[in-house]
Amino acid sequence: MRDARVFDEFYAAHVRRLTSQMYAMTGSLVEAEDLVQEAFARAWQNWDKVSGYADPEAWVRSVACRVRVSVWRKAVNRVTAHRRLGVPEEVPDISPDYVTLVAALRLLPFEQRRAIVLHHLVGLSVEETARETEVAPGTVKARLSRGRHATAARLSESAPAPAPAMRDVSGSAVQEVHHRD
């Protein structure tokens, strides 16, 4: 049985040294911390076995190195695929309206944002959205209503002010005339 107290002591005794060693190997403190954390997570998953080794620290270091090699191989494979397939077709720019919409959505609570995206952007029905989010259709409707209301308010706040009325040479306002065809 895994003993969390023993593992915690092992972790505390070795994490700094292993991070320092991986930093020396990779040249990146962030990468070193990620590798060591992943290795310790795997050590915890296998703690019954790892704790019986003569040098559990060596096992963690070895795992961190193997994880690094795996990350490196994936990066090399991405570069190779990119070279083989060439530059992707030009991706159209994201419209400013879409950026504004996403910014407004980010301010919503997650469940409201999720309902709006699934229903309005993905195109799921209320019932499909309810199944995917594992809530009642009425809950989806409430989230959609609240989310739309909050989003509309935020979008109207960020909308540009209307253009000032045009004036003719005499200074009188010019009215726009709209014709229905």
Side-chain angles (χ1 to χ4, degrees):
M1 184 170 136
R2 291 189 280 188
D3 186 347
R5 185 186 50 76
V6 172
F7 180 81
D8 290 347
E9 290 171 2
F10 169 72
Y11 177 87
H14 300 280
V15 67
R16 293 183 86 191
R17 180 173 42 242
L18 288 167
T19 302
S20 176
Q21 293 166 0
M22 295 311 299
Y23 175 51
M25 287 185 204
T26 64
S28 166
L29 182 58
V30 171
E31 184 178 5
E33 290 170 339
D34 287 347
L35 295 171
V36 170
Q37 289 306 312
E38 177 64 27
F40 271 111
R42 292 181 187 188
W44 172 245
Q45 291 169 344
N46 299 293
W47 189 239
D48 290 339
K49 185 174 158 184
V50 173
S51 62
Y53 291 157
D55 189 359
E57 180 183 6
W59 185 91
V60 173
R61 184 175 35 258
S62 176
V63 168
C65 288
R66 284 197 306 273
V67 169
R68 174 61 183 112
V69 168
S70 177
V71 168
W72 177 81
R73 284 185 182 146
K74 287 177 185 176
V76 167
N77 288 339
R78 278 192 297 274
V79 169
T80 302
H82 178 72
R83 286 183 184 149
R84 183 179 29 207
L85 299 174
V87 177
E89 291 181 26
E90 209 173 297
V91 178
D93 290 334
I94 297 174
S95 79
D97 291 341
Y98 187 76
V99 172
T100 303
L101 174 63
V102 170
L105 289 172
R106 289 181 67 199
L107 300 174
L108 294 177
F110 174 75
E111 293 301 336
Q112 289 177 16
R113 180 173 58 238
R114 185 177 183 198
I116 287 177
V117 168
L118 291 173
H119 184 68
H120 292 291
L121 299 180
V122 175
L124 298 182
S125 68
V126 169
E127 291 73 23
E128 291 168 325
T129 302
R131 273 194 303 277
E132 186 160 328
T133 57
E134 299 177 338
V135 297
T139 303
V140 171
K141 290 177 184 178
R143 288 175 179 170
L144 287 170
S145 176
R146 289 183 190 116
R148 284 189 296 249
H149 180 73
T151 302
R154 289 190 177 106
L155 290 175
S156 66
E157 290 170 3
S158 66
M166 294 177 22
R167 305 222 174 252
D168 67 12
V169 288
S170 69
S172 301
V174 176
Q175 290 186 337
E176 289 186 34
V177 177
H178 298 279
H179 298 283
R180 295 185 127 190
D181 293 327

